[in-house]
Amino acid sequence: MAQKNTFKGNKQSLPSKPCKTCGRDMTWRKAWAKNWEQVLYCSDACRKNKSPTPP
Ligand SMILES: [Zn+2]
């Protein structure tokens, strides 16, 4: 007898991806639900740092 509905231990696995600037893993946030694919930076600071001035 095969049980098809084995639904246990299913932890919430939220997507995550590294910040473009600092490389730290940022976990999916509800606020990013609408534009998760466009979120590249973990914070405003990193967003401003996206184009570092060359020396
Ligand atoms: Zn960052």
Side-chain angles (χ1 to χ4, degrees):
M1 294 177 70
Q3 288 182 334
K4 285 187 178 179
N5 293 328
T6 52
F7 198 78
K8 67 176 183 178
N10 191 18
K11 290 183 179 178
Q12 284 184 335
S13 56
L14 296 175
S16 65
K17 58 185 176 182
C19 170
K20 284 279 186 181
T21 301
C22 67
R24 290 178 63 179
D25 257 9
M26 46 183 186
T27 308
W28 185 90
R29 299 177 191 177
K30 195 174 183 180
W32 293 340
K34 292 179 182 177
N35 61 341
W36 170 243
E37 291 184 0
Q38 296 166 21
V39 175
L40 300 177
Y41 313 101
C42 66
S43 64
D44 284 343
C46 280
R47 188 175 305 156
K48 290 174 184 175
N49 265 341
K50 65 182 177 180
S51 52
T53 53

